[in-house]
């Protein structure tokens, strides 16, 4: 992982959804919207239903819909574990590699 980027992993309770490097991540938590940039302080939050938006290091934006779960940040690693999650344009039963 290069300096000044995040390592992001999104998983549903029953499958892997996506992982890769990112410039930023935003999501809805039980407390409201949150945005994460490299160097963010460690945290753990309850994930709300809504979109997780990942600004990838290649300039592309990845959007995943997540339902419940949790969101953790530690040492520029963001892990999102949702009850259910799917990438934009993907049906709920499909996986991504």
């Amino acid at each position: 992982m290069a300096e000044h980027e995040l390592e992001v992993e999104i998983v549903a309770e029953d499958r892997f959804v996506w992982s890769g490097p990112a410039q930023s991540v935003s999501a809805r938590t039980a407390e409201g919207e949150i945005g994460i940039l490299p160097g963010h302080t460690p945290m753990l939050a309850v994930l709300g239903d809504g979109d997780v938006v990942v600004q990838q290091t290649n300039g592309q934006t990845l959007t995943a819909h997540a339902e419940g779960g949790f969101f953790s940040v530690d040492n520029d690693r963001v892990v999102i574990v949702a009850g259910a999650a799917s990438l934009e344009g993907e049906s709920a039963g499909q996986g991504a590699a």
Side-chain angles (χ1 to χ4, degrees), residues 5-6 37-42 76:
E5 69 181 36
L6 299 167
L37 297 172
H40 197 284
T41 58
D76 289 336

Side-chain angles (χ1 to χ4, degrees), residues 8-71:
V8 180
E9 185 172 339
I10 303 171
V11 296
E13 64 183 29
D14 62 344
R15 68 189 182 92
F16 168 82
V17 177
W18 183 86
S19 70
Q23 297 173 344
S24 67
V25 178
S26 62
R28 180 180 308 275
T29 70
E31 301 291 320
E33 292 289 322
I34 188 157
I36 304 297
L37 297 172
H40 197 284
T41 58
M43 63 162 281
L44 180 63
V46 174
L47 188 64
D49 294 353
D51 289 340
V52 175
V53 179
V54 179
Q55 296 296 327
Q56 299 178 70
T57 56
N58 65 7
Q60 295 182 347
T61 301
L62 176 115
T63 303
H65 183 77
E67 298 177 12
F70 72 89
F71 184 104

